[in-house]
Amino acid sequence: MNRFNNKTILVTGGSSGIGLAAAKAFAAEGARVVITGRDAVSLERAGAEIGTDTLALVNDAGRLADAKALAATLAAADLRLDAVFLNAGTAKFAAFPEVDEALWDQIFSTNTKGPYFQVQALLPLLNPGASIVINGSINAHIGMPNSSVYAASKAALISLAKTLSAELLPRGARVNVLSPGPVATPLYGKLGLDAASLETTAAQIQNQIPLGRFGTPEEIASTVLHLSSPESAFIVGTEIIADGGMSQL
């Protein structure tokens, strides 16, 4: 399929995991892809994997100045966007009594403030009919211990998709959320847990998934592409959950 021929797609956090899988899938269907991330080396490597026409930009998703700078860079390159996948995010788990303001600010800056102001900055660059897909999480629904701040940041995105959908419909843009369950990505190595705790946590999580396994980045990417394509034109302000049945069964 070539659903994205002559389309330009932005994927934030596109240097690894779900973001990289989505960027590669978009490129395979004809899109010109722009990816962002904080690490220049990882971005360069990802850009080479995606294709020679990839534009890889160093960008911190939690900084308002970077959101504006990204929009300015795209405008200067005369690029307009047909789809945006707001994938950049961070996950740190801590027991409620141990949460401090620094952890709260770190997670909400990247996961909630970042997407909010990134969409605002990109508004002039969205083509009519543009799709915005926000990466949520089933943690917004399941009440997992030690995830209070992370879950709250993702729950805010579900609400944001609805209100932004109402505001942006006159511009011809759609906003939806894709909430993955446990997916085998590098994010799980960044939870702030030691190796033994991480292995124990992963095993406990896997036991709660009816399908009996973690999802793959490619499985999530396929739904991102669906929500970004004209075939999903009647899906607006909606959350799609892809979690192997973990929050549903």
Side-chain angles (χ1 to χ4, degrees), residues 12-13 38 61 86-91 107 110-111 150 154 187 190:
T12 67
R38 289 184 293 185
L86 295 169
N87 168 71
T90 188
I107 291 177
T110 301
N111 291 358
Y150 176 72
K154 293 296 187 176
L187 183 65
K190 302 176 183 178

Side-chain angles (χ1 to χ4, degrees), residues 112-195:
T112 310
K113 184 179 78 172
Y116 186 96
F117 286 105
Q118 191 63 81
V119 173
Q120 186 186 71
L122 293 172
L123 278 181
L125 304 180
L126 297 179
N127 281 326
S131 170
I132 299 169
V133 180
I134 302 174
N135 193 350
S137 172
I138 64 162
N139 282 95
H141 300 284
I142 63 177
M144 180 183 292
N146 303 324
S147 71
S148 59
V149 183
Y150 176 72
S153 73
K154 293 296 187 176
L157 293 178
I158 298 169
S159 174
L160 181 62
K162 295 180 182 299
T163 52
L164 285 187
S165 286
E167 289 203 40
L168 300 186
L169 274 180
R171 295 173 175 262
R174 296 182 296 117
V175 186
N176 292 289
V177 176
L178 170 58
S179 289
V183 176
T185 75
L187 183 65
Y188 273 88
K190 302 176 183 178
L191 297 180
L193 303 174
D194 58 50

